[in-house]
Amino acid sequence: ETGVTQSPTHLIKTRGQQVTLRCSSQSGHNTVSWYQQALGQGPQFIFQYYREEENGRGNFPPRFSGLQFPNYSSELNVNALELDDSALYLCASSLGTSGRTRWGEQYFGPGTRLTVT
Amino acid sequence: GEDVEQSLFLSVREGDSSVINCTYTDSSSTYLYWYKQEPGAGLQLLTYIFSNMDMKQDQRLTVLLNKKDKHLSLRIADTQTGDSAIYFCAVFNQAGTALIFGKGTTLSVSS
């Protein structure tokens, strides 16, 4: 059982609204990555945060943004929600050095299921 | 760009061995991973292999890595109904910041 937690578990929003998802990393981990998993697909990398700075970004528009806090917890913000944003949002924590994961373990949280209507 | 391919479905009988295969295009990943996802749940790290290893065994799980062919496999011995889930293969991108996942293999175990 990992120590990565996410909130909320489920969320329903309307198109055009904004949403904030939260992630607490496993104790001792300094890197948080966010992934979007659409139904029937593998997770897609959104971005990674290391020491409170964005350290890599996938093919997602700027309306997807994030933060990492001094305790290494993180938020994912999505503005101007679209129907296609409906997905499971996963965060993963790991221990990195200079932004690259040096240790094998990448642990995922249970995810937040976002539905946009 | 990096790509990871997996077969989509595998069906086995309880007690048999299951072998899930994965191929990838970028060989720079230091670690290669297998994750398990049960319905409605997050990803559970099953095992991972360091890129300079050929094989890793962990109880009922055996991971084989063929770097020349860029092929990774996961063998589950004595497959149980509780092993029914989606299994994802994942490797790091060249920058070492993002995991690239396959589409997942749905393992169905019948009793």
Side-chain angles (χ1 to χ4, degrees), chain A residues 5-83:
Chain A
T5 59
Q6 292 186 243
S7 63
T9 307
H10 295 90
L11 206 48
I12 299 174
K13 290 286 190 178
T14 303
R15 192 170 49 183
Q17 287 187 314
Q18 179 264 343
V19 69
T20 297
L21 310 182
R22 294 178 176 83
C23 172
S24 290
S25 59
Q26 182 153 316
S27 177
H29 283 184
N30 59 8
T31 304
V32 172
S33 304
W34 286 91
Y35 291 80
Q36 180 196 67
Q37 186 180 21
L39 205 59
Q41 301 295 316
Q44 298 286 318
F45 175 69
I46 303 175
F47 43 54
Q48 181 188 82
Y49 276 84
Y50 170 71
R51 291 186 175 179
E52 302 177 54
E53 292 195 0
E54 189 180 288
N55 181 54
R57 188 179 184 93
N59 190 24
F60 281 82
R63 59 189 185 84
F64 285 77
S65 63
L67 282 174
Q68 187 179 33
F69 299 99
N71 66 355
Y72 302 126
S73 66
S74 177
E75 286 182 355
L76 164 65
N77 299 290
V78 187
N79 293 322
L81 283 166
E82 300 178 0
L83 296 179

Side-chain angles (χ1 to χ4, degrees), chain B residues 34-55:
Chain B
W34 285 103
Y35 285 89
K36 175 183 180 182
Q37 187 174 40
E38 298 187 27
L43 296 176
Q44 175 193 350
L45 177 61
L46 273 183
T47 186
Y48 61 94
I49 187 167
F50 191 56
S51 59
N52 69 356
M53 297 170 67
D54 297 325
M55 184 181 84

